């Protein structure tokens, strides 16, 4: 009895210390979630929102007291509501949804591009009880991509020759206008020296051009 009592007494401070560490870890994780720029949201298996961080408020526009307890469908355009059925089906099966790019809607009605990662939430017994969602606004990235595509289309369809080269005079890009003007196809000339386009007696011009570019 005495040995057992001593063991229990000695175990109490260790258990208390472990509890403090667990509490500190939980507080630290809560602070990470609260301060994240990404939206971090949890929902139950019926799609009802259970938690909402400040990143979610910034991205979607809803305060936590406006949206917690509401259906996640409030964030999904009506024409994409079917996505939620698919997502919940995967979550119930214990599957994770990684970097799913789609469209969501803000409180003001604006639709925007978003990338979401969704993971199952399990209770202490390992049963799936909900899902956590990390969502990132990628609308700026999409706009930049669209601008690049538009610029590329302009360059490609221009009647003028538009060519790029590196600082050693090696051709890097070649548009259709260049093919029409010089006669080379892109696959024939990319990777070749720009000097192929110069008459022999004028090749010294390229040295001066490159010198000015380096300056």
């Amino acid at each position: 009895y005495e040995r057992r009592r001593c063991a229990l007494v000695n175990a109490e401070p260790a258990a208390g210390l472990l509890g403090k560490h667990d509490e500190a870890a939980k507080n630290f994780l809560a602070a990470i979630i609260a301060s994240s720029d990404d939206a971090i949201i949890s929902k139950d298996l019926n799609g009802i929102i259970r938690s909402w961080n400040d990143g979610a408020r910034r991205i979607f526009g809803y305060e936590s007291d406006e949206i917690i307890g509401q259906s996640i469908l409030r964030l999904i355009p009506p024409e994409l509501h079917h996505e939620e059925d698919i997502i919940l089906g995967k979550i119930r099966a214990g599957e994770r949804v990684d970097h799913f790019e789609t469209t969501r809607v803000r409180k003001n009605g604006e639709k925007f591009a978003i990338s979401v990662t969704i993971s199952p939430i399990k209770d202490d017994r390992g049963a799936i009880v909900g899902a956590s969602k990390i969502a990132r606004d990628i609308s700026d990235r999409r706009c930049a991509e669209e601008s690049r595509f538009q610029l590329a289309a302009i360059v490609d369809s221009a009647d003028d020759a538009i060519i790029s080269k590196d600082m050693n005079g090696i051709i890097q890009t070649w548009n259709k206008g260049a093919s029409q003007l010089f006669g080379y196809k892109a696959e024939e000339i990319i990777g070749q020296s720009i000097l192929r386009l110069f008459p022999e007696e004028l090749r010294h011009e390229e040295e001066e051009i490159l010198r000015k570019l380096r300056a």
Side-chain angles (χ1 to χ4, degrees), residues 103-121:
T103 300
R104 292 296 180 257
V105 62
R106 305 188 208 275
K107 181 181 177 181
N108 63 9
E110 176 192 357
K111 294 179 182 179
F112 67 103
I114 198 167
S115 173
V116 295
T117 295
I118 308 162
S119 303
I121 297 174

Side-chain angles (χ1 to χ4, degrees), residues 3-214:
R3 282 197 301 272
R4 181 167 178 256
R5 188 175 69 84
C6 288
L8 289 171
V9 169
N10 290 334
E12 285 174 2
L17 185 62
L18 183 61
K20 289 179 181 178
H21 285 179
D22 286 346
E23 190 65 28
K26 288 177 182 177
N27 290 339
F28 187 63
L29 287 172
I32 291 172
I33 291 169
S35 61
S36 173
D37 288 334
D38 294 333
I40 302 178
I41 305 164
S42 68
K43 62 185 178 183
D44 64 20
L45 291 178
N46 295 312
I48 302 302
I49 296 168
R50 296 305 182 193
S51 66
W52 185 262
N53 76 333
D54 203 46
R57 179 190 62 78
R58 288 192 298 269
I59 290 174
F60 289 99
Y62 292 98
E63 298 292 338
S64 58
D65 55 359
E66 293 179 292
I67 199 70
I68 289 176
Q70 301 296 316
S71 172
I72 198 78
L73 292 176
R74 289 188 68 174
L75 312 179
I76 303 176
E79 66 273 16
L80 295 179
H81 278 188
H82 64 277
E83 290 183 352
E84 180 63 8
D85 292 333
I86 296 170
I87 290 168
L88 285 175
K90 287 180 177 291
I91 292 300
R92 290 189 183 103
E95 297 178 26
R96 176 184 167 99
V97 180
D98 270 322
H99 304 296
F100 174 56
E101 293 191 5
T102 184
T103 300
R104 292 296 180 257
V105 62
R106 305 188 208 275
K107 181 181 177 181
N108 63 9
E110 176 192 357
K111 294 179 182 179
F112 67 103
I114 198 167
S115 173
V116 295
T117 295
I118 308 162
S119 303
I121 297 174
K122 298 180 180 180
D123 63 15
D124 294 338
R125 296 169 296 173
I128 296 168
V129 295
S132 64
K133 175 184 292 190
I134 300 176
R136 177 168 295 176
D137 185 343
I138 59 170
S139 52
D140 288 343
R141 193 193 81 191
R142 284 277 181 88
C143 286
E145 287 174 353
E146 288 174 7
S147 295
R148 284 197 295 272
F149 289 143
Q150 288 173 354
L151 289 172
I154 290 169
V155 168
D156 193 48
S157 61
D159 290 332
D160 295 331
I162 303 177
I163 305 165
S164 69
K165 61 185 177 184
D166 66 17
M167 296 309 293
N168 294 311
I170 303 301
I171 295 169
Q172 304 296 311
T173 61
W174 185 265
N175 75 334
K176 290 177 182 176
S179 292
Q180 292 167 358
L181 190 63
F182 291 101
Y184 293 100
K185 295 180 180 178
E187 59 269 21
E188 294 179 296
I189 197 70
I190 289 175
Q192 303 295 316
S193 172
I194 197 80
L195 292 175
R196 290 189 67 173
L197 310 180
F198 283 66
E200 190 72 36
E201 67 275 13
L202 295 179
R203 288 191 170 187
H204 65 277
E205 291 181 352
E206 177 64 3
E207 295 178 10
E208 180 62 14
I209 290 168
L210 288 174
R211 185 194 65 76
K212 287 185 176 181
L213 288 175
R214 291 189 183 103

